[in-house]
Amino acid sequence: MLICIPDVLGPEQVSQCRQVMDKAHWQDGRMTAGPQSASVKNNMQLPAASPEARELGDIVLDALGRNALFLSAALPLRILPPMFNRYGVGQTFGVHVDNAIRNVPGSATRIRTDLSCTLFLSEPDEYEGGELTIETAYGANEVKLPAGHAVLYPSTSLHCVQPVTSGARVASFFWIQSMIRDESPRSMLFELDQTIQELQGERGLDDPASVRLTGVYHNLIRHWAET
């Protein structure tokens, strides 16, 4: 399941993030990659422990906590603190799959990476190339979204960032451990929740069918959830 989430950040928040990033010190992105990923990774990242990364991460996490579509699709249990990368001309990240387990910086906590998320912070016309290409059962999907929009996809997917040929691509990226480990039931719960919201919009919150379906939704979460 690949889901594009519009307007995670508004224009003012994107502008605030960009101002912080413009003044920050960047490091070689390979410093946070494993041996296989490092061989195909060529970008820059904000150090995860830097004040700038922490400030920007708080902005992103606060926005995600208020985004109904993200919460419905991800059913998050834990979110790794957001990280931030930059691709200049000639930089790319070849085909790879994300690590199954990630350590939370500065703690002993580890999370299982069920879902990957990229939040775009550059407008598409600011750079050429740089598409996030995600392999799915139905073929490759190229994703290049407006600033403030995000894409959520399974961490099991092979994916890459195409070479940037002009300008610069900046984004936030992070991983989510969902309460629902398996993609299939998580997708069904998402579709059920979206259907319930449509019915409530058409018939009102007290519609008997919506109430019954809401009960089914929560009982399925009780059955499948890991907490």
Side-chain angles (χ1 to χ4, degrees), residues 55-216:
E55 177 184 353
L56 296 173
D58 288 344
I59 293 172
V60 172
L61 289 174
D62 180 66
L64 292 173
R66 293 181 282 105
N67 190 287
L69 183 58
F70 170 79
L71 296 173
S72 176
L75 292 170
L77 177 62
R78 299 184 182 91
I79 303 176
L80 195 78
M83 302 170 72
F84 300 86
N85 58 22
R86 181 184 188 277
Y87 291 81
V89 174
Q91 293 189 308
T92 182
F93 198 163
V95 176
H96 64 285
V97 66
D98 292 331
N99 291 344
I101 303 294
R102 304 285 303 198
N103 293 317
V104 177
S107 78
T109 302
R110 297 186 296 175
I111 75 165
R112 184 186 65 243
T113 58
D114 298 320
L115 293 161
S116 302
C117 190
T118 294
L119 172 61
F120 291 80
L121 296 171
S122 299
E123 295 293 353
D125 61 4
E126 291 185 68
Y127 61 101
E128 294 183 3
E131 294 85 359
L132 173 62
T133 302
I134 304 166
E135 298 287 346
T136 73
Y138 304 101
N141 287 262
E142 290 192 349
V143 184
K144 188 174 183 177
L145 300 178
H149 295 215
V151 60
L152 185 70
Y153 58 97
S155 297
T156 53
S157 305
L158 287 170
H159 57 284
C160 66
V161 176
Q162 300 292 342
V164 171
T165 58
S166 70
R169 173 196 191 270
V170 290
S172 175
F173 63 102
F174 49 93
W175 294 272
I176 301 103
Q177 180 173 333
S178 177
M179 291 184 288
I180 311 299
R181 176 195 293 257
D182 294 331
E183 181 183 359
S184 179
R186 189 169 61 243
S187 297
M188 287 189 285
L189 285 167
F190 174 68
E191 294 296 336
L192 178 57
D193 186 37
Q194 295 303 294
T195 301
I196 292 169
Q197 292 184 44
E198 289 181 16
L199 284 174
Q200 290 175 339
E202 295 171 358
R203 303 182 184 182
L205 295 176
D206 58 352
D207 172 66
S210 297
V211 172
R212 289 195 298 273
L213 284 176
T214 300
V216 171

